Amino acid sequence: MPLVLLCGLPCSGKSHRAAELGRYLREEAGKRVVEVAERSVGMERNLVYGDSHKEKELRGVLKAEVERKINKEDVVIMDSLNYIKGYRYELFCLIKHTQTPHCLIHCETAVDVCSSWNRSREPEQQYSQEIFDALVMRFEAPDARNRWDSPLFTIQKDDTLPFQAINDAIFHRKAPPPNQSTLNQPLSSTNFLYELDRVTQEMLMAILNAQKTSVPGDQITVPGTKVKIELTRILHMAELRKLRRQFISYTKMHPTENIGQISNMFVQYINRSLH
């Protein structure tokens, strides 16, 4: 079911809006709602947001929790800063993979109001002024022109949530179609990856040995292939390894039904890379 992302400055009202939306979806729309929030992982915010490694770990934990809870019955509301556009894109790729709709609610509250709300909290729940200012500076505002930030609902401090519009966005809109980067590609056979690795490694050694008796301009014949390598220059091991890695990555996404063609495909790939 759909994913609803909250984003905004620290203390901009995200948790309040998440609670409002959750009540509406439960009581008016009759939906089951699951919330994923920073407070649910027991973090100490100043320690986490003062350390880039801990913050990255927190984002990973939240993303994994979203991935675990997305299913066909529940609406998942993610209540977090979500201030990095690259992270919002990662979450967008996640919902593309699961083929579920999503929307983004941006709590656009003025910095001075956020700061006032921060100071009014209990001391253990406050952001330090240094951390608060740093997060404000790092905040990357969403843009509805970006597909990962759309549909976007921008909410001011005194606005009422557009419940019906949000409901329509997450229940009456098609999920974004998956693409090759988010689809799990079926392998042609159970030993496809093994053969891909073995064949390309053997070909690397054969090419290196063939070059010992060749000069640029020659055509190298590699055992097991019908296509010859057009040697425009000497290929060193580092370059061949790089070509092999690129070829393996490409072939994993475009597996062949005929394992016997791997050798010819690799030679063709090398020839295209040399010209």
Side-chain angles (χ1 to χ4, degrees):
M1 288 294 280
L3 171 66
V4 179
L5 289 180
L6 278 294
C7 86
L9 298 176
C11 306
S12 57
K14 299 181 294 298
S15 296
H16 173 68
R17 298 299 190 177
E20 282 186 323
L21 181 61
R23 282 194 299 272
Y24 169 81
L25 292 172
R26 292 186 187 98
E27 298 170 8
E28 302 297 328
K31 303 295 183 181
R32 291 201 305 177
V33 178
V34 177
E35 185 177 290
V36 175
E38 294 177 1
R39 60 182 175 275
S40 64
V41 300
M43 53 159 272
E44 205 291 297
R45 58 186 55 187
N46 287 310
L47 288 177
V48 170
Y49 286 110
D51 185 319
S52 61
H53 295 292
K54 290 181 180 178
E55 184 183 346
K56 184 177 181 181
E57 182 179 338
L58 170 65
R59 291 197 299 269
V61 169
L62 293 174
K63 181 181 174 183
E65 190 70 3
V66 168
E67 187 171 14
R68 187 175 69 85
K69 290 185 174 180
I70 282 182
N71 56 51
K72 295 184 178 180
E73 289 79 35
D74 305 328
V75 178
V76 178
I77 298 178
M78 186 178 182
D79 175 17
S80 181
L81 292 174
N82 295 320
Y83 70 95
I84 301 173
K85 63 182 179 181
Y87 184 56
R88 295 196 297 269
Y89 177 73
E90 289 180 22
L91 293 167
F92 175 73
C93 290
L94 175 61
I95 64 102
K96 288 190 74 172
H97 176 69
T98 55
Q99 297 185 52
T100 185
H102 90 303
C103 74
L104 178 64
I105 299 175
H106 176 204
C107 296
E108 192 177 48
T109 306
V111 175
D112 58 338
V113 175
C114 294
S115 181
S116 175
W117 285 352
N118 181 50
R119 291 193 300 270
S120 68
R121 290 181 168 186
E122 295 295 325
E124 64 274 8
Q125 296 180 342
Q126 291 181 15
Y127 292 92
S128 70
Q129 193 60 48
E130 180 183 1
I131 296 297
F132 179 88
D133 292 341
L135 289 171
V136 169
M137 290 293 294
R138 298 204 298 263
F139 183 73
E140 297 176 333
D143 185 341
R145 293 172 295 182
N146 297 329
R147 61 191 185 279
W148 57 88
D149 288 335
S150 179
L152 172 64
F153 298 93
T154 300
I155 309 298
Q156 305 292 329
K157 177 173 70 73
D158 297 320
D159 289 348
T160 300
L161 275 178
F163 294 113
Q164 189 58 53
I166 294 172
N167 186 81
D168 291 343
I170 59 178
F171 293 117
H172 303 296
R173 187 176 64 91
K174 289 184 178 181
N179 54 26
Q180 288 182 338
S181 64
T182 57
L183 277 176
N184 288 326
Q185 295 290 335
L187 297 181
S188 306
S189 64
T190 55
N191 66 337
F192 176 79
L193 289 179
Y194 169 77
E195 289 297 321
L196 179 63
D197 182 78
R198 181 187 65 81
V199 170
T200 52
Q201 181 61 37
E202 289 178 356
M203 290 184 65
L204 239 62
M205 301 312 298
I207 292 169
L208 285 172
N209 288 330
Q211 285 186 135
K212 294 177 181 178
T213 57
S214 304
V215 296
D218 288 353
Q219 291 188 333
I220 296 177
T221 300
V222 180
T225 66
K226 296 179 180 179
V227 184
K228 294 182 178 181
I229 294 178
E230 300 171 8
L231 193 65
T232 58
R233 54 186 169 79
I234 297 298
L235 296 171
H236 299 288
M237 175 59 88
E239 184 177 5
L240 284 170
R241 284 176 174 168
K242 180 180 178 181
L243 289 171
R244 177 174 176 263
R245 288 195 303 269
Q246 292 172 344
F247 175 74
I248 288 175
S249 296
Y250 174 83
T251 309
K252 284 180 181 178
M253 299 298 297
H254 304 81
T256 176
E257 294 297 329
N258 187 352
I259 293 178
Q261 287 297 313
I262 291 176
S263 299
N264 286 321
M265 290 169 60
F266 189 32
V267 170
Q268 291 168 354
Y269 185 85
I270 291 175
N271 283 336
R272 287 197 300 271
S273 301
L274 292 177
H275 291 83

